[in-house]
Amino acid sequence: MDEIVLLSGTACVPLMNRMARQLDVEPGDFLIGRFSDGEIRVQIKKNIRGRDVYVIQSTGAPAENLMELLLLTDAAKRASAARVTAVIPYFGYARQDRKAEPRVPISAKLVANFIEAAGADRVLTVDLHADQIQGFFDVPVDNLYATPIFKPYIDQLISEGQWMVVAPDVGSSKRAYRFAEILGNLPIALVDKRRVRPNEIESVRVIGDVEGMNCLMVDDIIDSGGSLRKASGALMEMGAKRIFAAATHGVFSGNAKETLSESPLEGIWVTNTLPPQDDRLPSNARVLDISPLLSEAVRRIHENRSVSELFIGKETWKTLGLWQNLEKE
Ligand code: R5P
């Protein structure tokens, strides 16, 4: 297989450019335009026969993002790429991932079918909403965790005082265990969150003793910000001291900016799996760069080396000699 080619949908162009620099390759030569009726038109402008192609695109709303990924993948496949990997920093349409209620779609499965039908030979993604979504694909899926990106900032934060990790809902409990272990077996608490409808929470109840503790909440997505706002309020009422949050995907829809800026959260870390929109960013939020992690995974996939070595965190990254690269970026 010849050298790496990077292509990108419009949601991930800055990420592709960073990855191209880190991988020491030119960004791919392609266009994404529109027909006059608004339909998307795609063309790869240079020969990619026999190449190892990576199509980078997050697939959250609008649905055009997903469409761009499918069209670029199809174009690469028909242009005789040796292998096409769909790099999906934020895998959208993941929250309907099972028939939790009558007459609902399993959107995550349908999207997986689309991506495979377009010709993706493998998938690289970050912090899937549910790990099981990997099984919706019949091609290999590497699901990275953003933990190594957050870890240096969290390490600095928790070097003083007593800290615990809090899952803002049951769905994030596995994630909370993973963080707690990596951060040195911190204690854990869980928020029991009940929803009336999507993005609207009826009640929250803290399970665990948080009195006098500093709390780090960990989640995959921040969308309306309602979950973190309610959970941080409940933690404060139960006597928590300081509250921070780390969430991989910062969607920040609707009033998230106000909701979170006015919450008891002192700090929120997200990554740039979605294009950071400064005007939607809460005042207490900070965006960390995920590209070194994605680039290293692409390098390893290209060279048929282990990707799971990237799952752990600072210590592993140090052993692998990657930590310096990350800090330089
Ligand atoms: C839910 O299952 C997810 O893990 C997130 O907690 C949720 O998507 C966050 O949404 P919002 O910010 O709208 O509460």
Side-chain angles (χ1 to χ4, degrees), residues 97-261:
D97 58 0
R98 62 195 191 288
K99 266 197 94 171
E101 295 167 275
R103 299 176 295 284
V104 293
I106 304 184
S107 317
K109 170 64 179 149
L110 180 65
V111 169
N113 288 349
F114 282 158
I115 294 167
E116 271 193 59
D121 297 295
R122 53 185 309 135
V123 173
L124 171 64
T125 187
V126 188
D127 252 314
L128 282 170
H129 178 58
D131 285 337
Q132 301 89 299
I133 293 172
Q134 290 172 73
F136 294 174
F137 288 91
D138 285 324
V139 293
V141 178
D142 290 303
N143 179 31
L144 303 173
Y145 299 118
T147 339
I149 304 292
F150 292 127
K151 191 164 184 313
Y153 300 91
I154 298 174
D155 276 345
Q156 211 174 359
L157 178 73
I158 66 174
S159 60
E160 276 176 29
Q162 279 193 299
W163 286 85
M164 65 194 302
V165 177
V166 179
D169 57 28
V170 179
S172 276
S173 54
K174 253 178 68 187
R175 184 169 290 107
Y177 277 110
R178 203 171 51 239
F179 267 85
E181 202 186 331
I182 290 168
L183 297 171
N185 286 322
L186 295 183
I188 284 189
L190 171 69
V191 176
D192 174 22
K193 170 174 92 178
R194 306 280 163 106
R195 284 195 188 277
V196 247
R197 57 186 68 85
N199 297 115
E200 219 179 295
I201 297 157
E202 187 179 47
S203 66
V204 291
R205 191 169 61 93
V206 180
I207 303 170
D209 188 6
V210 300
E211 194 172 349
M213 297 293 284
N214 300 314
C215 297
L216 173 72
M217 285 198 281
V218 293
D219 211 342
D220 55 338
I221 307 169
I222 302 176
D223 188 355
S224 67
S227 300
L228 287 187
R229 164 86 181 238
K230 285 264 184 185
S232 56
L235 289 172
M236 267 310 190
E237 274 174 34
M238 299 299 288
K241 275 161 82 178
R242 306 181 71 190
I243 309 175
F244 284 73
T248 308
H249 313 291
V251 179
F252 299 124
S253 68
N255 292 329
K257 182 175 176 173
E258 294 72 29
T259 303
L260 291 168
S261 303

